[in-house]
Amino acid sequence: MIRINEIRLSLDEDEKELNKKAAKLLRINEKYIKKLTIYKKSIDARKKDDVHFTYSVDVEISLDEEQIAAKCKSPKVSLAKPYAYEIPENKRVSKYRPIVVGFGPAGMLAGLILAEAGLRPIILERGKAIEERQWQNRRLNEESNVQFGEGGAGTFSDGKLTTGIKSPYIRKVLEELYEAGAPEEILYSAKPHIGTDRLAVVVKNIRKKIESLGGEVRLECKLEKLIVYNKFIQGITYSCRGESFDIEADSVIMAIGHSARDTVEMLYNLGVQIMQKPFSVGARIEHPQSLINKAQYGEFAGHPKLGAADYKLACHGLHERGAYTFCMCPGGTVVAAASEKEGVIVNGMSSLARDGENANSALLVGIEPKDFPSEHPLAGIYYQRDIEHKAFELAGGDYKAPAQLVGDFLQGKESTALGEVNPTCPTGVTLTKLDYCLPERVSATMKSAIVEMDKKLNGFNMYDAVLTAPETRSSSSVRILRDEFCQCNISGVYPCGEGAGYAGGIISAAVDGIKCAHAVLGDEH
């Protein structure tokens, strides 16, 4: 097929115009176009008086495609091959079913690939089904919450599918999500998202597909220990609703997520090689979505084709560290994301419609191992936990989150009353001074970043904008070491995804799940 880049459409033009514009670029009659598929679609808002869409399209024609592509002599035109994922040949020789621990993005895709290969994997997930994972009267269930349960932590997010990695498996992930019920736009949007509401359907459909292929997904089943002999995995012990079970196994994919700290400690005590890893700390910042729309789209703000605007900002070198926004949720809400007793953390999510009054994003500061309290491999976990406990106490000890107006934060004074922005954290907030729970180096960098980011996005330093803290789980603070075959120093154990330190979002975690499934199958690439 022929790929054409940089086709422009105004906000008022219909996508049917793509056929005409593609034919014109190819210098052919439109009747010769058999099929046109959108490959990529993005909003170009660099000039606020000229906001428009830019497309890349794949075109199949009834003429000689190679000849036509060469004849038009345009840098926008090239030949492209359609993507087709192929499961590698199964070189695994074993009488045991592979085990996957965790049913977040990494575990889901690892389990799906193994099921498609006919290996009937057993997938363990410590948390409950999606509909049972919501907060109830500020009572924390340590085994099933925003971090743990069917779909993993990514289920309670924007369902954001942007990623910085390059991998042919990204297309496989997107196609599986679409097949499971995600909107078609994820296949071509430059900033694809599913939305928390639609993710619940998608996750359940992926589970059903795995089960239809002979796999099992066992919810409310927690890995307790690995059974190891002479540095080879022999099996696992897991608990389920008060009972304990053993399973013999020679392949265990550990897709445990970034908050399974007790599991990481179990691995460390077994002698698994773990190293410290940089991560980030900060808070959620909430603005009126209308302010973000105006700042990003100018006079086009509110246009029905544009929807809620997003942003991505970064400042480098502030106070010898960087600050950046992360997981921006247009029209979304702040999420209470605690997973341990007497600890408070927050995250963000949006529905597919992104129609809430507020926009929220993490405002994060980089933390390096030199900032950790010791050289212990798990010192980053202890660093995170200390901040989370301080936040719990600061907000009153009932899982409310500490919050402060941006203006008060910049002036170093405690907030006592809300202004124009109503915080959306479902457990409620306690107005206070965030300097009491955030490390001084983090607070100082955030304050400088807010001022600098306002120069890039007008209104970012809005006095009444609300900071809700802390955000400590944007990524794992450890990396579980693995070799070129994706195995750790216990043969047959495959550290995988975000919790193992090899991913940083839904797509990269899912891709790593595919990679580890391939390793179990014996694929050497």
Side-chain angles (χ1 to χ4, degrees):
M1 59 191 178
I2 298 174
R3 179 160 298 156
I4 307 174
N5 295 315
E6 298 180 35
I7 297 180
R8 169 186 166 137
L9 287 186
S10 72
L11 300 186
D12 296 324
E13 286 184 290
D14 192 280
E15 286 184 348
K16 293 177 182 177
E17 295 293 314
L18 290 171
N19 278 51
K20 292 181 181 178
K21 297 196 176 193
K24 185 176 180 180
L25 274 166
L26 295 176
R27 300 178 184 177
I28 62 173
N29 191 299
E30 191 180 338
K31 69 180 182 180
Y32 294 118
I33 294 180
K34 295 193 296 183
K35 183 180 180 182
L36 182 145
T37 305
I38 299 172
Y39 177 74
K40 191 71 70 178
K41 175 183 178 181
S42 61
I43 299 170
D44 188 337
R46 289 173 294 178
K47 296 180 180 179
K48 299 298 179 279
D49 60 348
D50 182 25
V51 177
H52 59 273
F53 293 109
T54 301
Y55 292 81
S56 294
V57 299
D58 289 334
V59 182
E60 295 177 36
I61 62 175
S62 55
L63 303 171
D64 186 314
E65 293 179 345
E66 189 171 346
Q67 187 180 65
I68 293 296
K71 187 178 178 181
C72 73
K73 296 180 180 180
S74 170
K76 297 180 180 180
V77 176
S78 62
L79 293 174
K81 289 184 178 180
Y83 172 76
Y85 170 79
E86 293 184 10
I87 295 177
E89 176 188 353
N90 178 20
K91 299 176 183 177
R92 180 176 182 266
V93 179
S94 175
K95 63 180 180 179
Y96 302 118
R97 297 166 69 180
I99 293 171
V100 179
V101 181
F103 197 59
M108 282 193 291
L109 267 294
L112 180 60
I113 297 302
L114 294 173
E116 288 182 332
L119 297 189
R120 300 169 55 243
I122 298 170
I123 305 171
L124 306 179
E125 170 53 56
R126 69 196 291 172
K128 297 184 179 184
I130 289 173
E131 62 270 14
E132 299 178 71
R133 292 174 61 189
Q134 302 286 2
W135 273 86
Q136 298 292 330
N137 301 320
R138 291 204 293 272
R139 289 197 298 258
L140 174 66
N141 181 340
E142 289 186 89
E143 300 302 336
S144 183
N145 45 62
V146 167
Q147 306 292 349
F148 304 140
E150 184 180 22
T155 302
F156 292 93
S157 70
D158 192 40
K160 217 176 308 298
L161 305 179
T162 49
T163 180
I165 69 167
K166 303 290 184 183
S167 170
Y169 304 143
I170 292 174
R171 187 69 186 181
K172 167 67 171 174
V173 176
L174 294 175
E175 289 177 351
E176 289 295 339
L177 293 172
Y178 170 58
E179 181 186 310
E184 184 180 11
E185 288 80 7
I186 71 165
L187 297 177
Y188 56 78
S189 173
K191 296 180 180 179
H193 82 286
I194 300 176
T196 298
D197 49 341
R198 187 71 73 89
L199 263 173
V201 176
V202 170
V203 168
K204 285 188 176 297
N205 285 338
I206 291 176
R207 169 162 61 88
K208 290 176 183 177
K209 183 174 181 178
I210 291 170
E211 291 169 342
S212 73
L213 294 168
E216 291 181 58
V217 180
R218 302 179 184 178
L219 300 176
E220 298 181 66
C221 292
K222 179 184 176 182
L223 175 70
E224 298 292 347
K225 67 177 181 179
L226 301 180
I227 302 169
V228 179
Y229 179 74
N230 201 25
K231 294 192 175 181
F232 282 81
I233 188 71
Q234 306 294 308
I236 67 163
T237 299
Y238 74 95
S239 59
C240 186
R241 298 177 179 89
E243 294 188 66
S244 182
F245 303 90
D246 289 342
I247 307 177
E248 288 185 275
D250 56 11
S251 298
V252 180
I253 293 178
M254 298 291 290
I256 58 177
H258 59 39
S259 291
R261 293 167 170 172
D262 50 357
T263 305
V264 173
E265 289 172 343
M266 179 270 289
L267 294 174
Y268 176 75
N269 291 332
L270 268 178
V272 171
Q273 294 175 343
I274 299 174
M275 66 178 287
Q276 296 179 345
K277 183 180 104 23
F279 65 103
S280 299
V281 170
R284 281 270 149 185
I285 185 167
E286 288 190 89
H287 298 91
Q289 182 61 50
S290 58
L291 181 147
I292 305 301
N293 292 346
K294 184 67 176 175
Q296 296 293 69
Y297 297 148
E299 63 186 77
F300 295 95
H303 194 287
K305 284 189 179 180
L306 291 174
D310 64 3
Y311 60 81
K312 185 177 182 181
L313 304 169
C315 300
H316 304 288
L318 298 174
H319 301 268
E320 299 183 355
R321 62 193 69 238
Y324 61 100
T325 62
F326 176 77
C327 186
M328 192 271 160
C329 298
T333 61
V334 172
V335 177
S339 61
E340 293 183 342
K341 281 185 178 178
E342 300 184 354
V344 164
I345 60 170
V346 291
N347 198 353
M349 72 178 189
S350 296
S351 66
L352 177 61
R354 291 176 160 177
D355 55 1
E357 290 187 7
N358 290 357
N360 78 81
S361 174
L363 175 59
L364 300 177
V365 176
I367 302 295
E368 299 291 332
K370 65 181 181 181
D371 300 315
F372 295 179
S374 74
E375 295 183 359
H376 191 284
L378 308 188
I381 289 176
Y382 309 146
Y383 185 99
Q384 291 171 317
R385 187 177 282 152
D386 180 61
I387 296 170
E388 294 159 13
H389 285 176
K390 286 179 179 177
F392 177 80
E393 294 172 0
L394 180 61
D398 60 355
Y399 295 102
K400 289 181 180 177
Q404 188 175 11
L405 302 189
V406 164
D408 294 337
F409 180 66
L410 294 177
Q411 293 181 17
K413 65 181 186 180
E414 190 170 317
S415 289
T416 56
L418 293 170
E420 185 181 336
V421 179
N422 290 314
T424 56
C425 182
T427 53
V429 301
T430 298
L431 291 176
T432 181
K433 187 176 179 180
L434 297 186
D435 292 343
Y436 297 147
C437 68
L438 294 176
E440 190 278 332
R441 60 175 73 92
V442 171
S443 287
T445 307
M446 286 173 61
K447 290 169 184 175
S448 297
I450 289 170
V451 174
E452 289 301 311
M453 289 176 180
D454 184 71
K455 298 174 184 176
K456 302 176 182 180
L457 194 153
N458 186 35
F460 194 80
N461 69 349
M462 174 187 182
Y463 198 108
D464 286 353
V466 176
L467 287 163
T468 308
E471 173 123 5
T472 54
R473 310 268 186 98
S474 61
S475 65
S476 177
S477 61
V478 299
R479 175 167 286 123
I480 303 172
L481 301 185
R482 67 188 192 192
D483 61 20
E484 66 270 28
F485 305 108
C486 294
Q487 299 181 61
C488 70
N489 57 318
I490 297 176
S491 185
V493 176
Y494 300 79
C496 181
E498 198 161 333
Y502 295 97
I506 291 174
I507 291 294
S508 58
V511 165
D512 201 56
I514 294 175
K515 184 177 179 180
C516 288
H518 285 197
V520 170
L521 291 169
D523 181 39
E524 297 178 359
H525 300 290

